[in-house]
Amino acid sequence: MTLGDITSPTTVLALFGLIVTAIMLVRGFSAAVFFGMIITSVTGIMTGLIPLPSQMISTPPSLAPTFGVAITELPNILQPEMFTVVFTVLFVNFFDATGTIIAVTKKAGFLKDDKLPRAKQALGSDATSSVIAAILGTSTTNSYIESASGVAAGARTGFASIITAVCLFLFLFLSPLLEVVTDAVTAPALIIVGVLMASSMGAITWDKMEYAIPAFVTIIAMPLTHSIANGLALGFIAYPILKIVKGDYKKVHPIMYLIIFIFIAYFIWLA
């Protein structure tokens, strides 16, 4: 990775959006990320960097071509050669969801003694949505790290998620309007989300290498491999090994040792 073209008009627009959003956050605007995206979009339209939508309303694409295909193809999916594929999808989805849920609930202050109350229900909800999405034939639905921006604005009870769901339903019919939400508009919001998440790193015990090294490996591997799951896998491999070296192997749950071999097999398969 190297420094990109910071003179590119779209890059300048993204930097403008980042600065505007940062100023509003510093000034205490609770919905700074949302208004930052609106200001960036309007600025992009006014400068000609973002074209106006071709239309306002459109009919959502039909689910007929994909609805229920996963069920009809189930016998083929259960073939032995598909087990690795199924495991990989399960692995990525589970750890993406786990990492996201832990990060967001940590930011919201829901963790108690580093444990998430009703974690079973949270993961169950995520898993159920993934199954329903597969039946509908859409892309996998799971928890998104962008929820951190809602938490930062004060969301705590889940009501904000209901409002988000209603807005998403409405935009099934207003999807042409989303043409103005380009990468230059979303990039500043995602950078701010990264800032919100980075605050959790202060809770890492950096003076103990058996914790610091796995944590750093996990953190740095996520952007370098473009995968939350890969970062978590490398961290899960490093942590038990370092605990064994230190002589604290009894403090590691036996399941962690099993996970080491599963993750190593996963990376060998990817290679």
Side-chain angles (χ1 to χ4, degrees):
M1 294 186 291
T2 59
L3 183 64
D5 183 7
I6 58 174
T7 62
S8 168
T10 54
T11 302
V12 172
L13 178 62
L15 291 174
F16 167 77
L18 177 60
I19 293 172
V20 169
T21 305
I23 291 174
M24 287 192 292
L25 280 172
V26 171
R27 296 295 298 176
F29 285 86
S30 59
V33 175
F34 175 72
F35 287 112
M37 293 178 66
I38 292 179
I39 293 173
T40 306
S41 298
V42 172
T43 303
I45 293 173
M46 293 175 61
T47 56
L49 296 176
I50 299 177
L52 287 171
S54 56
Q55 57 187 28
M56 294 285 290
I57 301 175
S58 67
T59 304
S62 173
L63 288 173
T66 58
F67 183 79
V69 172
I71 297 176
T72 59
E73 292 292 330
L74 191 59
N76 296 327
I77 296 175
L78 296 178
Q79 296 299 320
E81 57 268 22
M82 289 295 294
F83 287 164
T84 304
V85 177
V86 172
F87 169 76
T88 302
V89 174
L90 171 64
F91 168 82
V92 172
N93 191 31
F94 174 75
F95 281 99
D96 274 352
T98 303
T100 298
I101 290 173
I102 294 298
V104 173
T105 52
K106 173 73 173 180
K107 186 66 181 177
F110 291 154
L111 294 185
K112 297 179 180 178
D113 298 325
D114 292 327
K115 294 182 179 180
L116 175 61
R118 295 187 293 178
K120 181 178 180 181
Q121 289 86 338
L123 291 172
S125 175
D126 189 273
T128 300
S129 67
S130 296
V131 172
I132 294 175
I135 294 174
L136 294 177
T138 69
S139 57
T140 304
T141 56
N142 57 7
S143 305
Y144 274 79
I145 199 67
E146 286 81 356
S147 298
S149 60
V151 170
R156 291 293 188 278
T157 64
F159 182 68
S161 298
I162 295 176
I163 297 300
T164 300
V166 172
C167 290
L168 285 171
F169 175 78
L170 293 176
F171 268 90
L172 286 175
F173 304 92
L174 300 173
S175 58
L177 295 178
L178 296 179
E179 293 177 6
V180 302
V181 186
T182 62
D183 291 343
V185 176
T186 57
L190 292 176
I191 292 172
I192 296 300
V193 168
V195 173
L196 297 174
M197 291 296 93
S199 62
S200 299
M201 291 192 293
I204 298 174
T205 312
W206 292 107
D207 58 339
K208 294 184 179 180
M209 290 297 102
E210 67 272 26
Y211 298 113
I213 293 175
F216 177 76
V217 168
T218 300
I219 293 169
I220 198 66
M222 288 182 185
L224 293 181
T225 65
H226 203 264
S227 170
I228 293 176
N230 285 342
L232 288 171
L234 292 171
F236 271 104
I237 292 173
Y239 174 71
I241 293 176
L242 292 177
K243 294 294 282 186
I244 292 173
V245 171
K246 189 174 181 180
D248 289 340
Y249 60 91
K250 292 183 179 179
K251 296 181 180 181
V252 179
H253 197 284
I255 294 180
M256 289 289 290
Y257 295 116
L258 174 62
I259 289 178
I260 290 178
F261 295 103
I262 294 176
F263 286 163
I264 291 176
Y266 167 74
F267 284 118
I268 292 174
W269 181 81
L270 285 181

